[in-house]
Each structure stands twice: as C-alpha cells, then as structure tokens.
Amino acid sequence: MDGIDAPTTDMTPWALVTGASAGIGEIFCRNLAKRGYHLVLVARRADRLHTLAEELRSKFGTASLVLPADLAEPGATRTIAQRLREEEIHVEFLVNNAGYGMSGRFTDFGWREHADFIQVMTTAVCELTHALLPAMQQRKKGYVINVASVAGLIPGTEGATLYGASKAFLISFSQSLALENYFHRVNISALCPGFTYSEFHDVSGTRELVNRLPSYMWLDADEVVRFGIESVVRPRPRVVAIPGRFYRMLVRVNRMFPGITRHILRKRSKDFRKLDRG
Ligand SMILES: NC(=O)c1ccc[n+]([C@@H]2O[C@H](COP(=O)([O-])OP(=O)(O)OC[C@H]3O[C@@H](n4cnc5c(N)ncnc54)[C@H](OP(=O)(O)O)[C@@H]3O)[C@@H](O)[C@H]2O)c1
C-alpha cells in the first residue's frame, strides 16, 4: 500500500472509491475530486491508481491515498481500515463500486471462483461499510453509494448466475441501511445502472455479444455517476437510484407485469450473457 500523494493538513473531506482504476469508479473519482473531496483510491492495478492520483492532483489539487488491494482476499478490507486509522483519514463519502461479471452457468465454475466473487461483490462491501459507518454516524454526516445494477431489480438471467443475486443483496442491504441511518444523517443509495460503457464487458468476455444491443440500452458512465451522486446528496436521497429513462421504465414494467420480463429474459438471456465459459 502506498502513501498520500499531496499534503493533507487542510479540512477537506475524504471520499473512498473501490474499483477506482477503471470505468465507473474512475469517473466517480474525477467527479468527487471536482466536488472538493480528497480521494482514497482502491483497486488491484496500482499503476493506474497512481496515474489517476497524479491527474487529480494536477487538475483539482486533490490529495490521494493509493491503496492497491485485491478485495477477493478476506483480510483486504481490514488492512484498508487499519491504514485509514494510521493516516487519521475519516471517510465522509464511500463508494462501494468494485465489481465484475463471470460468464457461464453456475456449475461451470469451481467453488473457489464463486467464493472470490461473493467476497468482492457482497462481503467486502459490508465489511468496508461496517468499518466506516460509525464515524459518519458520530459526525452526523456521510454518504454511501453501493453500486448495484438493474440486474438486481429484474428476474435472474441464465449465465452470470450470482451476478443478479449479488446486486439484489446490495439493494436490500442499502434499503435497510438507509432506514437505520436516517436519523444519523448518513445518506445511503444503491445505484442501479443498466448496460454502461466501461471495461466491464471486456473483463467478462461478453463485448462482442453486447455490442449488438441497441444504443438506447447503453448508458454513459459519466451520466451514471452524476445521477448517483445527485441521488445520494439530496436531502431525501433516492435509496434505489436507477439512471436512464429506459431502465426506469423497464423496472416499472417488471413491477406491473413480472410475467412479461420473465418471459423476455427466458428467451433473450443468451443475447447478452455468454452461457459457455472460455
Ligand atoms: N458496466 C456495466 O454495464 C455495469 C452495469 C451495472 C452495474 N455495473 C457495476 O458497476 C461497477 C463498476 O464496474 P465497471 O462497469 O466500471 O467495470 P470496469 O470498468 O471493469 O471496472 C471494474 C473495477 O473494479 C475493480 N475490481 C474488480 N475486481 C476487483 C478486486 N478483486 N479487487 C479490487 N478491485 C477490483 C477493477 O480494478 P482492478 O482490476 O484494477 O482491480 C476496476 O477498477 C461494478 O460493481 C459493476 O457490477 C456495471
């Protein structure tokens, strides 16, 4: 783990973003820096985090603490929390964003791969929130965005079996946390994007498939992030924040006519989920 890239003797608040090395997380960092936050940057690829830290310093005068970490490792969030204590950094804005998709059916993978996935997508999110929330409650100010997905709001698809389940977990977790923290003045949101331009589909090996989806199904990462931040900083936050008119409509249709979305997904999963590994 690396040190702070700029002096921090000021009273500027800190934000922590997991998955800061690419896609939605990287854009969160730029937007939060623009809003005057110093940044704790977490992901595995340290080189990318340092490049981003340097960009944030030169563009916005932001201090960054670069914490390279593999969130699949069970001790990773403890090490992060420990390092924050040592640096006396109080995080006011937490973005649990790190994530990925696994292409294939449930039994195509060994349990180790599933266990790592659950650790990154759910356990690490809970651990980090559990470590940072008490100080936010004490100060009566804080924001937590759990980057979920519209996949957590619609019926499960074939392939990427645990993905929708993990995102549904984050949504329910965020709803409970929002209720528990209302009087602490800590705002909680589950941000639920649909297909968003990032490196996600390159990592999951589905780029070729999803490139065939119509343009109205695609969101810009900047639009997703702006909607997410705006949703959580409002006096009455959107606890389940769905960026994009198409996806808000999809979720509404699913609530009213769940049979229709179940039918479409049964027929169409293979259009955007790679069902065979490799
Ligand atoms: N793109 C979409 O269509 C879409 C839609 C709905 C929701 N989402 C959600 O949005 C979030 C961000 O995804 P994205 O679209 O920005 O994808 P991305 O461009 O692939 O970025 C994923 C980020 O997560 C980090 N990450 C992955 N595994 C990690 C691990 N084991 N430890 C630490 N960091 C890890 C990656 O960093 P390193 O590789 O450097 O570790 C990277 O910074 C995810 O939670 C995803 O599920 C995405």
Side-chain angles (χ1 to χ4, degrees), residues 192-274:
C192 302
F195 290 103
T196 304
Y197 293 112
S198 72
E199 295 172 21
F200 183 92
H201 298 98
D202 304 304
V203 176
S204 68
T206 52
R207 174 64 60 206
E208 221 179 294
L209 270 181
V210 299
N211 273 354
R212 294 186 208 132
L213 294 173
S215 59
Y216 62 79
M217 290 185 75
W218 284 96
L219 298 166
D220 190 63
D222 208 55
E223 169 192 359
V224 168
V225 167
R226 270 189 279 113
F227 187 82
I229 294 176
E230 193 249 306
S231 296
V232 82
V233 300
R234 291 150 57 106
R236 287 172 67 89
R238 294 186 188 98
V239 177
V240 178
I242 308 170
R245 224 179 275 160
F246 169 77
Y247 288 104
R248 284 193 286 279
M249 191 183 70
L250 178 69
V251 169
R252 223 170 287 140
V253 169
N254 178 54
R255 270 191 209 123
M256 290 191 292
F257 311 106
I260 294 182
T261 36
R262 253 201 319 271
H263 175 77
I264 294 171
L265 291 170
R266 196 164 57 230
K267 295 265 177 221
R268 295 283 178 210
S269 288
K270 62 180 177 323
D271 290 354
F272 52 91
R273 299 275 190 236
K274 209 166 99 192

Coordinates of all heavy atoms in Angstrom, one line a residue, residues 192-274:
C192 N -28.2 1.7 -9.5 CA -28.6 0.6 -10.3 C -28.5 0.8 -11.8 O -29.6 1.0 -12.4 CB -30.0 0.1 -9.9 SG -30.2 -0.3 -8.2
P193 N -27.3 0.9 -12.3 CA -27.2 1.1 -13.8 C -27.6 -0.1 -14.6 O -27.6 -1.2 -14.1 CB -25.8 1.5 -14.0 CG -25.1 1.3 -12.7 CD -26.0 0.7 -11.7
G194 N -28.0 0.1 -15.8 CA -28.1 -0.9 -16.8 C -26.7 -0.9 -17.6 O -25.7 -0.5 -17.1
F195 N -26.8 -1.4 -18.8 CA -25.5 -1.5 -19.6 C -24.8 -0.2 -19.7 O -25.4 0.8 -20.1 CB -25.8 -2.0 -21.0 CG -26.2 -3.5 -21.0 CD1 -27.5 -3.9 -21.2 CD2 -25.2 -4.5 -20.9 CE1 -27.9 -5.2 -21.2 CE2 -25.6 -5.8 -20.9 CZ -26.9 -6.2 -21.0
T196 N -23.6 -0.1 -19.3 CA -22.8 1.1 -19.2 C -21.5 1.0 -19.9 O -20.8 -0.1 -19.7 CB -22.6 1.5 -17.7 OG1 -23.9 1.6 -17.1 CG2 -21.9 2.9 -17.6
Y197 N -21.1 2.0 -20.7 CA -19.8 1.9 -21.3 C -18.7 1.9 -20.3 O -18.6 2.9 -19.5 CB -19.6 3.1 -22.3 CG -20.5 3.0 -23.5 CD1 -21.5 4.0 -23.6 CD2 -20.4 2.0 -24.4 CE1 -22.4 3.9 -24.7 CE2 -21.2 2.0 -25.5 CZ -22.2 2.9 -25.7 OH -23.1 2.9 -26.7
S198 N -17.9 0.9 -20.2 CA -16.7 0.8 -19.3 C -15.9 -0.4 -19.8 O -16.1 -0.9 -20.9 CB -17.2 0.6 -17.8 OG -17.7 -0.8 -17.7
E199 N -15.0 -1.0 -18.9 CA -14.3 -2.1 -19.3 C -14.9 -3.4 -18.9 O -14.4 -4.5 -19.1 CB -12.8 -2.0 -18.7 CG -12.1 -0.9 -19.3 CD -10.7 -0.6 -18.6 OE1 -10.2 -1.6 -18.0 OE2 -10.2 0.5 -18.7
F200 N -16.1 -3.3 -18.2 CA -16.8 -4.4 -17.6 C -17.0 -5.6 -18.6 O -16.7 -6.8 -18.2 CB -18.2 -3.9 -17.1 CG -19.0 -5.0 -16.4 CD1 -18.9 -5.1 -15.0 CD2 -19.8 -5.8 -17.1 CE1 -19.6 -6.1 -14.3 CE2 -20.6 -6.8 -16.4 CZ -20.5 -6.9 -15.0
H201 N -17.5 -5.3 -19.8 CA -17.8 -6.4 -20.7 C -16.5 -7.0 -21.4 O -16.6 -8.1 -21.9 CB -18.9 -5.9 -21.7 CG -20.1 -5.6 -21.0 ND1 -20.5 -4.3 -20.7 CD2 -21.1 -6.3 -20.5 CE1 -21.6 -4.2 -20.0 NE2 -22.0 -5.5 -19.9
D202 N -15.4 -6.2 -21.4 CA -14.2 -6.8 -21.9 C -13.7 -7.8 -20.8 O -13.2 -8.9 -21.2 CB -13.1 -5.7 -22.0 CG -13.6 -4.6 -23.0 OD1 -14.0 -4.9 -24.1 OD2 -13.7 -3.4 -22.6
V203 N -13.8 -7.4 -19.6 CA -13.3 -8.3 -18.5 C -14.2 -9.6 -18.5 O -13.7 -10.7 -18.3 CB -13.4 -7.6 -17.1 CG1 -13.0 -8.6 -16.0 CG2 -12.5 -6.4 -17.1
S204 N -15.5 -9.5 -18.7 CA -16.4 -10.6 -18.6 C -16.4 -11.4 -19.9 O -17.0 -12.5 -20.0 CB -17.8 -10.2 -18.2 OG -18.4 -9.5 -19.3
G205 N -15.7 -10.9 -21.0 CA -15.6 -11.6 -22.2 C -16.9 -11.6 -23.0 O -17.2 -12.5 -23.9
T206 N -17.8 -10.6 -22.8 CA -19.1 -10.5 -23.5 C -19.2 -9.3 -24.5 O -20.2 -9.0 -24.9 CB -20.3 -10.4 -22.5 OG1 -20.0 -9.3 -21.6 CG2 -20.4 -11.7 -21.7
R207 N -18.0 -8.7 -24.7 CA -18.0 -7.4 -25.5 C -18.7 -7.7 -26.9 O -19.6 -6.9 -27.3 CB -16.6 -6.9 -25.7 CG -16.4 -5.7 -26.6 CD -17.1 -4.5 -26.1 NE -16.7 -4.0 -24.9 CZ -17.4 -3.3 -24.0 NH1 -18.6 -2.9 -24.3 NH2 -16.9 -2.9 -22.8
E208 N -18.3 -8.7 -27.5 CA -18.8 -9.0 -28.9 C -20.4 -9.1 -28.9 O -21.1 -8.6 -29.7 CB -18.2 -10.3 -29.4 CG -17.8 -10.2 -30.9 CD -17.2 -11.5 -31.3 OE1 -16.1 -11.8 -30.8 OE2 -17.8 -12.2 -32.1
L209 N -20.9 -9.8 -27.8 CA -22.3 -10.0 -27.7 C -23.0 -8.7 -27.5 O -24.0 -8.4 -28.1 CB -22.6 -11.0 -26.5 CG -22.7 -12.5 -26.7 CD1 -23.0 -13.1 -25.4 CD2 -23.8 -12.8 -27.7
V210 N -22.6 -8.0 -26.4 CA -23.3 -6.8 -26.0 C -23.2 -5.7 -27.0 O -24.1 -4.8 -27.0 CB -22.9 -6.3 -24.6 CG1 -23.2 -7.4 -23.6 CG2 -21.5 -5.9 -24.5
N211 N -22.2 -5.7 -27.9 CA -22.1 -4.7 -28.9 C -23.2 -4.7 -29.8 O -23.5 -3.7 -30.5 CB -20.8 -4.9 -29.7 CG -19.6 -4.2 -29.0 OD1 -19.8 -3.4 -28.0 ND2 -18.4 -4.4 -29.5
R212 N -24.0 -5.8 -29.9 CA -25.1 -5.9 -30.8 C -26.4 -5.3 -30.1 O -27.4 -5.2 -30.8 CB -25.4 -7.4 -31.1 CG -24.3 -8.0 -31.9 CD -24.6 -9.5 -32.3 NE -23.5 -10.3 -32.5 CZ -23.3 -11.5 -32.0 NH1 -24.3 -12.1 -31.3 NH2 -22.2 -12.1 -32.1
L213 N -26.3 -5.0 -28.9 CA -27.5 -4.4 -28.2 C -27.8 -3.0 -28.8 O -26.8 -2.3 -29.1 CB -27.3 -4.3 -26.7 CG -27.2 -5.7 -26.0 CD1 -26.8 -5.5 -24.5 CD2 -28.5 -6.5 -26.1
P214 N -29.0 -2.6 -28.8 CA -29.4 -1.3 -29.4 C -28.8 -0.1 -28.5 O -28.6 -0.3 -27.3 CB -30.9 -1.3 -29.4 CG -31.3 -2.4 -28.5 CD -30.2 -3.4 -28.4
S215 N -28.6 1.0 -29.2 CA -27.9 2.1 -28.5 C -28.7 2.7 -27.3 O -28.2 3.1 -26.3 CB -27.6 3.2 -29.5 OG -28.8 3.7 -30.1
Y216 N -30.1 2.5 -27.4 CA -30.9 3.1 -26.3 C -30.7 2.3 -25.0 O -31.1 2.7 -23.9 CB -32.4 3.2 -26.7 CG -33.0 1.8 -27.0 CD1 -33.4 1.0 -26.0 CD2 -33.3 1.4 -28.3 CE1 -34.0 -0.3 -26.2 CE2 -33.9 0.2 -28.6 CZ -34.2 -0.6 -27.6 OH -34.8 -1.9 -27.9
M217 N -30.1 1.1 -25.1 CA -29.8 0.3 -23.9 C -28.5 0.7 -23.2 O -28.2 0.2 -22.1 CB -29.8 -1.2 -24.2 CG -31.2 -1.7 -24.6 SD -31.2 -3.5 -24.8 CE -31.1 -4.1 -23.1
W218 N -27.8 1.7 -23.8 CA -26.4 2.0 -23.3 C -26.4 3.3 -22.5 O -27.0 4.3 -23.0 CB -25.4 2.0 -24.4 CG -25.1 0.6 -24.8 CD1 -25.6 -0.1 -25.8 CD2 -24.1 -0.3 -24.2 NE1 -25.1 -1.4 -25.9 CE2 -24.1 -1.5 -24.9 CE3 -23.3 -0.2 -23.0 CZ2 -23.4 -2.6 -24.5 CZ3 -22.5 -1.3 -22.7 CH2 -22.5 -2.5 -23.4
L219 N -25.7 3.3 -21.4 CA -25.6 4.5 -20.6 C -24.1 4.9 -20.6 O -23.2 4.1 -20.7 CB -26.0 4.2 -19.1 CG -27.4 3.8 -18.9 CD1 -27.6 3.2 -17.4 CD2 -28.4 5.0 -19.1
D220 N -23.9 6.2 -20.5 CA -22.6 6.8 -20.4 C -22.2 6.8 -18.9 O -23.0 7.1 -18.0 CB -22.7 8.2 -20.9 CG -21.4 8.8 -21.1 OD1 -20.7 8.3 -21.9 OD2 -21.1 9.8 -20.4
A221 N -20.9 6.3 -18.6 CA -20.5 6.2 -17.2 C -20.6 7.6 -16.5 O -20.9 7.6 -15.3 CB -19.1 5.7 -17.2
D222 N -20.4 8.7 -17.2 CA -20.4 10.0 -16.6 C -21.9 10.3 -16.2 O -22.1 10.9 -15.1 CB -19.9 11.0 -17.6 CG -19.4 12.2 -16.9 OD1 -18.4 12.0 -16.1 OD2 -19.9 13.3 -17.1
E223 N -22.8 9.9 -17.0 CA -24.2 10.1 -16.7 C -24.6 9.3 -15.5 O -25.3 9.8 -14.6 CB -25.0 9.7 -18.0 CG -26.5 9.5 -17.9 CD -27.0 8.8 -19.2 OE1 -26.3 8.5 -20.1 OE2 -28.3 8.6 -19.2
V224 N -24.1 8.1 -15.4 CA -24.4 7.2 -14.3 C -23.9 7.8 -13.0 O -24.6 7.8 -12.0 CB -23.8 5.8 -14.5 CG1 -23.8 4.9 -13.3 CG2 -24.5 5.1 -15.7
V225 N -22.7 8.3 -13.0 CA -22.0 8.8 -11.8 C -22.7 10.1 -11.4 O -23.0 10.2 -10.2 CB -20.5 9.0 -12.1 CG1 -19.9 9.8 -11.0 CG2 -19.8 7.6 -12.2
R226 N -23.0 11.0 -12.3 CA -23.7 12.2 -11.9 C -25.0 11.9 -11.3 O -25.4 12.5 -10.3 CB -23.8 13.1 -13.1 CG -22.6 14.1 -13.3 CD -22.7 15.1 -14.3 NE -22.5 14.6 -15.6 CZ -23.4 14.5 -16.6 NH1 -24.6 14.9 -16.4 NH2 -23.1 14.0 -17.8
F227 N -25.8 11.0 -11.9 CA -27.1 10.6 -11.3 C -26.9 10.0 -9.9 O -27.6 10.3 -9.0 CB -27.8 9.6 -12.2 CG -29.2 9.3 -11.9 CD1 -30.2 10.2 -12.2 CD2 -29.5 8.2 -11.1 CE1 -31.5 9.9 -11.8 CE2 -30.8 7.9 -10.7 CZ -31.8 8.7 -11.1
G228 N -25.9 9.2 -9.8 CA -25.6 8.5 -8.5 C -25.3 9.5 -7.4 O -25.8 9.5 -6.3
I229 N -24.4 10.5 -7.7 CA -24.0 11.5 -6.7 C -25.2 12.4 -6.3 O -25.5 12.6 -5.2 CB -22.8 12.3 -7.1 CG1 -21.6 11.4 -7.3 CG2 -22.5 13.4 -6.2 CD1 -20.3 12.0 -7.8
E230 N -25.9 12.8 -7.4 CA -27.0 13.7 -7.2 C -28.1 13.0 -6.3 O -28.7 13.6 -5.5 CB -27.6 14.1 -8.5 CG -28.6 15.2 -8.5 CD -30.0 14.7 -8.9 OE1 -30.1 14.1 -10.0 OE2 -30.9 15.0 -8.1
S231 N -28.3 11.7 -6.5 CA -29.3 10.9 -5.8 C -29.0 10.7 -4.3 O -29.9 10.7 -3.5 CB -29.4 9.5 -6.4 OG -29.8 9.5 -7.7
V232 N -27.7 10.7 -4.0 CA -27.3 10.4 -2.6 C -27.2 11.7 -1.8 O -27.3 11.7 -0.6 CB -26.1 9.5 -2.5 CG1 -24.8 10.2 -2.6 CG2 -26.1 8.7 -1.2
V233 N -26.8 12.8 -2.4 CA -26.6 14.1 -1.7 C -27.8 14.9 -1.5 O -27.9 15.8 -0.7 CB -25.5 15.0 -2.3 CG1 -24.2 14.3 -2.4 CG2 -25.9 15.5 -3.7
R234 N -29.0 14.5 -2.1 CA -30.2 15.1 -1.9 C -30.6 15.0 -0.4 O -30.4 14.0 0.2 CB -31.3 14.5 -2.7 CG -31.2 14.7 -4.2 CD -31.8 13.5 -4.9 NE -33.2 13.2 -4.6 CZ -34.2 13.4 -5.4 NH1 -34.0 14.0 -6.6 NH2 -35.4 13.1 -5.1
P235 N -31.4 16.0 0.1 CA -31.9 15.9 1.5 C -32.7 14.6 1.7 O -32.6 13.9 2.7 CB -32.7 17.1 1.7 CG -32.3 18.1 0.6 CD -31.7 17.3 -0.5
R236 N -33.5 14.3 0.7 CA -34.2 13.0 0.7 C -33.6 12.1 -0.4 O -34.1 12.2 -1.6 CB -35.7 13.2 0.4 CG -36.4 13.8 1.7 CD -37.9 14.2 1.3 NE -38.7 13.0 1.0 CZ -39.3 12.4 2.0 NH1 -39.3 12.8 3.2 NH2 -40.0 11.3 1.7
P237 N -32.6 11.3 -0.1 CA -31.9 10.6 -1.2 C -32.8 9.6 -1.9 O -33.8 9.1 -1.3 CB -30.8 9.9 -0.4 CG -31.2 9.9 1.0 CD -32.1 11.0 1.2
R238 N -32.4 9.3 -3.1 CA -33.1 8.1 -3.8 C -32.4 6.9 -3.3 O -31.2 6.7 -3.6 CB -32.9 8.2 -5.3 CG -33.6 9.4 -6.0 CD -33.4 9.2 -7.5 NE -33.9 10.4 -8.2 CZ -33.1 11.4 -8.6 NH1 -31.8 11.3 -8.5 NH2 -33.6 12.5 -9.2
V239 N -33.0 6.1 -2.5 CA -32.4 4.9 -1.9 C -32.1 3.9 -3.0 O -31.0 3.3 -3.0 CB -33.3 4.3 -0.8 CG1 -32.6 3.0 -0.3 CG2 -33.5 5.3 0.3
V240 N -33.0 3.7 -4.0 CA -32.7 2.9 -5.1 C -32.7 3.8 -6.3 O -33.7 4.3 -6.8 CB -33.8 1.8 -5.3 CG1 -33.5 1.0 -6.6 CG2 -33.9 0.9 -4.1
A241 N -31.5 4.1 -6.8 CA -31.3 5.1 -7.9 C -31.1 4.4 -9.2 O -30.1 3.7 -9.4 CB -30.1 6.0 -7.5
I242 N -32.0 4.7 -10.2 CA -31.9 4.0 -11.5 C -31.6 5.0 -12.5 O -32.5 5.8 -12.9 CB -33.2 3.2 -11.8 CG1 -33.6 2.3 -10.6 CG2 -33.1 2.4 -13.1 CD1 -35.0 1.7 -10.7
P243 N -30.4 5.1 -13.0 CA -30.1 6.1 -14.1 C -30.7 5.7 -15.4 O -30.7 4.5 -15.8 CB -28.6 6.1 -14.1 CG -28.1 4.9 -13.5 CD -29.2 4.3 -12.7
G244 N -31.2 6.6 -16.2 CA -31.7 6.3 -17.6 C -33.1 6.0 -17.6 O -33.6 5.1 -16.9
R245 N -33.8 6.7 -18.5 CA -35.3 6.6 -18.7 C -35.7 5.2 -19.1 O -36.6 4.6 -18.6 CB -35.8 7.6 -19.7 CG -37.0 8.3 -19.2 CD -37.5 9.3 -20.3 NE -36.9 10.5 -20.1 CZ -36.8 11.5 -21.1 NH1 -37.3 11.2 -22.3 NH2 -36.2 12.6 -20.9
F246 N -34.9 4.6 -20.0 CA -35.2 3.2 -20.5 C -35.3 2.2 -19.3 O -36.2 1.4 -19.2 CB -34.2 2.8 -21.5 CG -34.4 1.3 -21.9 CD1 -35.4 0.8 -22.7 CD2 -33.5 0.3 -21.3 CE1 -35.6 -0.5 -23.0 CE2 -33.6 -1.0 -21.6 CZ -34.7 -1.4 -22.4
Y247 N -34.3 2.3 -18.4 CA -34.2 1.3 -17.3 C -35.2 1.6 -16.2 O -35.8 0.7 -15.6 CB -32.8 1.3 -16.7 CG -31.9 0.6 -17.7 CD1 -31.0 1.3 -18.5 CD2 -31.9 -0.8 -17.9 CE1 -30.1 0.7 -19.4 CE2 -31.1 -1.4 -18.8 CZ -30.2 -0.7 -19.6 OH -29.4 -1.3 -20.5
R248 N -35.6 2.9 -16.0 CA -36.7 3.2 -15.1 C -38.0 2.6 -15.6 O -38.8 2.0 -14.8 CB -36.8 4.7 -14.8 CG -35.7 5.2 -13.9 CD -36.0 6.7 -13.4 NE -35.8 7.7 -14.5 CZ -34.7 8.2 -14.9 NH1 -33.6 7.8 -14.3 NH2 -34.6 9.1 -15.8
M249 N -38.2 2.7 -16.9 CA -39.4 2.1 -17.5 C -39.4 0.6 -17.4 O -40.4 0.0 -17.0 CB -39.5 2.6 -18.9 CG -40.8 2.3 -19.6 SD -40.8 2.7 -21.3 CE -39.7 1.5 -22.0
L250 N -38.2 0.0 -17.7 CA -38.1 -1.5 -17.6 C -38.5 -2.0 -16.2 O -39.2 -2.9 -16.0 CB -36.7 -1.9 -17.9 CG -36.3 -3.4 -17.8 CD1 -37.0 -4.1 -19.0 CD2 -34.8 -3.6 -17.9
V251 N -38.0 -1.3 -15.2 CA -38.2 -1.7 -13.8 C -39.7 -1.5 -13.4 O -40.3 -2.4 -12.8 CB -37.3 -0.9 -12.8 CG1 -37.7 -1.1 -11.3 CG2 -35.9 -1.3 -13.0
R252 N -40.3 -0.4 -14.0 CA -41.7 -0.2 -13.7 C -42.6 -1.3 -14.4 O -43.5 -1.9 -13.8 CB -42.1 1.2 -14.3 CG -43.1 1.9 -13.3 CD -43.3 3.4 -13.7 NE -42.1 4.2 -13.5 CZ -41.7 5.2 -14.3 NH1 -42.3 5.4 -15.4 NH2 -40.7 5.9 -14.0
V253 N -42.2 -1.6 -15.6 CA -43.0 -2.7 -16.4 C -42.8 -4.0 -15.6 O -43.8 -4.8 -15.4 CB -42.4 -2.8 -17.8 CG1 -43.0 -4.1 -18.5 CG2 -42.8 -1.6 -18.6
N254 N -41.6 -4.3 -15.1 CA -41.4 -5.5 -14.4 C -42.2 -5.6 -13.1 O -42.7 -6.7 -12.8 CB -39.9 -5.6 -14.0 CG -39.6 -6.9 -13.2 OD1 -39.9 -8.0 -13.7 ND2 -39.0 -6.7 -12.0
R255 N -42.4 -4.4 -12.4 CA -43.2 -4.4 -11.2 C -44.7 -4.7 -11.6 O -45.4 -5.4 -10.9 CB -43.2 -3.1 -10.5 CG -42.0 -3.1 -9.5 CD -42.0 -1.9 -8.6 NE -40.7 -1.6 -8.2 CZ -40.0 -0.4 -8.4 NH1 -40.7 0.6 -9.0 NH2 -38.8 -0.3 -8.1
M256 N -45.1 -4.1 -12.7 CA -46.6 -4.3 -13.1 C -46.9 -5.6 -13.7 O -47.9 -6.2 -13.5 CB -47.0 -3.1 -14.0 CG -47.0 -1.8 -13.2 SD -47.8 -0.4 -14.2 CE -46.6 -0.2 -15.5
F257 N -45.9 -6.0 -14.6 CA -46.2 -7.3 -15.4 C -45.0 -8.2 -15.3 O -44.2 -8.4 -16.3 CB -46.5 -6.9 -16.8 CG -47.5 -5.9 -17.1 CD1 -47.1 -4.6 -17.5 CD2 -48.8 -6.1 -16.9 CE1 -48.0 -3.6 -17.7 CE2 -49.8 -5.1 -17.1 CZ -49.4 -3.9 -17.5
P258 N -44.7 -8.8 -14.1 CA -43.5 -9.5 -13.9 C -43.4 -10.7 -14.9 O -42.3 -11.1 -15.3 CB -43.5 -10.0 -12.5 CG -44.9 -9.8 -12.0 CD -45.5 -8.7 -12.8
G259 N -44.5 -11.2 -15.3 CA -44.5 -12.4 -16.3 C -43.9 -12.0 -17.6 O -43.2 -12.8 -18.2
I260 N -44.1 -10.7 -18.0 CA -43.5 -10.3 -19.3 C -42.0 -10.3 -19.3 O -41.3 -10.8 -20.2 CB -44.1 -8.9 -19.7 CG1 -45.6 -9.0 -20.0 CG2 -43.4 -8.3 -20.9 CD1 -46.3 -7.7 -20.4
T261 N -41.4 -9.6 -18.2 CA -40.0 -9.6 -18.2 C -39.4 -11.0 -18.0 O -38.3 -11.3 -18.6 CB -39.5 -8.6 -17.0 OG1 -40.4 -8.8 -15.9 CG2 -39.4 -7.2 -17.5
R262 N -40.1 -11.8 -17.2 CA -39.5 -13.2 -17.0 C -39.5 -13.9 -18.4 O -38.5 -14.5 -18.7 CB -40.4 -14.0 -16.1 CG -39.8 -14.2 -14.7 CD -40.4 -15.3 -13.9 NE -41.8 -15.4 -13.9 CZ -42.6 -14.8 -13.1 NH1 -42.2 -14.0 -12.2 NH2 -44.0 -14.9 -13.2
H263 N -40.6 -13.7 -19.2 CA -40.6 -14.3 -20.5 C -39.5 -13.8 -21.4 O -38.8 -14.6 -22.1 CB -42.0 -14.1 -21.1 CG -42.2 -14.6 -22.5 ND1 -42.4 -15.9 -22.8 CD2 -42.1 -14.0 -23.7 CE1 -42.4 -16.1 -24.1 NE2 -42.3 -14.9 -24.7
I264 N -39.4 -12.5 -21.4 CA -38.3 -11.9 -22.3 C -37.0 -12.4 -21.9 O -36.2 -12.8 -22.8 CB -38.4 -10.3 -22.3 CG1 -39.7 -9.8 -22.9 CG2 -37.2 -9.7 -23.0 CD1 -40.0 -8.3 -22.7
L265 N -36.7 -12.4 -20.6 CA -35.4 -12.8 -20.2 C -35.1 -14.3 -20.4 O -34.0 -14.7 -20.7 CB -35.1 -12.5 -18.7 CG -35.0 -11.0 -18.4 CD1 -35.1 -10.7 -16.9 CD2 -33.8 -10.4 -19.0
R266 N -36.2 -15.1 -20.3 CA -36.0 -16.5 -20.6 C -35.6 -16.7 -22.1 O -34.8 -17.5 -22.4 CB -37.3 -17.3 -20.3 CG -37.1 -18.8 -20.2 CD -38.3 -19.5 -19.6 NE -39.5 -19.3 -20.3 CZ -40.6 -18.9 -19.7 NH1 -40.7 -18.7 -18.4 NH2 -41.7 -18.7 -20.4
K267 N -36.2 -15.9 -22.9 CA -35.9 -16.0 -24.4 C -34.6 -15.4 -24.8 O -33.9 -15.7 -25.7 CB -37.0 -15.3 -25.2 CG -38.4 -16.0 -25.1 CD -38.6 -17.0 -26.2 CE -39.9 -17.7 -26.1 NZ -39.8 -19.1 -26.4
R268 N -34.2 -14.3 -24.0 CA -33.2 -13.4 -24.5 C -31.9 -13.4 -23.7 O -30.9 -12.7 -24.1 CB -33.7 -11.9 -24.5 CG -34.8 -11.7 -25.5 CD -34.2 -11.6 -26.9 NE -35.2 -11.4 -27.9 CZ -35.1 -11.9 -29.1 NH1 -34.0 -12.5 -29.5 NH2 -36.0 -11.7 -30.0
S269 N -31.8 -14.2 -22.6 CA -30.5 -14.2 -21.8 C -29.3 -14.3 -22.7 O -28.3 -13.7 -22.5 CB -30.6 -15.3 -20.8 OG -31.5 -15.0 -19.8
K270 N -29.4 -15.2 -23.7 CA -28.3 -15.6 -24.5 C -27.8 -14.4 -25.4 O -26.7 -14.4 -25.9 CB -28.5 -16.8 -25.3 CG -29.6 -16.7 -26.3 CD -29.8 -18.1 -27.0 CE -30.9 -18.1 -28.0 NZ -32.2 -17.4 -27.6
D271 N -28.7 -13.4 -25.5 CA -28.3 -12.2 -26.3 C -27.2 -11.3 -25.6 O -26.5 -10.6 -26.3 CB -29.5 -11.3 -26.6 CG -30.5 -12.0 -27.6 OD1 -30.1 -13.1 -28.1 OD2 -31.5 -11.4 -27.8
F272 N -27.1 -11.5 -24.3 CA -26.2 -10.6 -23.6 C -25.4 -11.4 -22.5 O -24.4 -10.8 -21.9 CB -26.8 -9.4 -23.0 CG -28.0 -9.7 -22.1 CD1 -27.9 -9.9 -20.8 CD2 -29.3 -9.8 -22.7 CE1 -29.0 -10.1 -20.0 CE2 -30.4 -10.0 -21.9 CZ -30.2 -10.2 -20.5
R273 N -25.7 -12.6 -22.3 CA -24.9 -13.5 -21.3 C -24.3 -14.6 -22.1 O -24.9 -15.3 -22.9 CB -25.8 -14.1 -20.3 CG -26.6 -13.1 -19.4 CD -25.7 -12.7 -18.3 NE -26.5 -11.9 -17.3 CZ -26.3 -10.7 -16.9 NH1 -25.2 -10.0 -17.4 NH2 -27.0 -10.1 -16.0
K274 N -22.9 -14.7 -22.0 CA -22.2 -15.8 -22.6 C -22.5 -17.0 -21.7 O -22.1 -17.0 -20.6 CB -20.7 -15.5 -22.7 CG -20.1 -16.1 -23.8 CD -18.7 -15.5 -24.1 CE -17.6 -16.4 -23.5 NZ -16.3 -15.8 -23.4

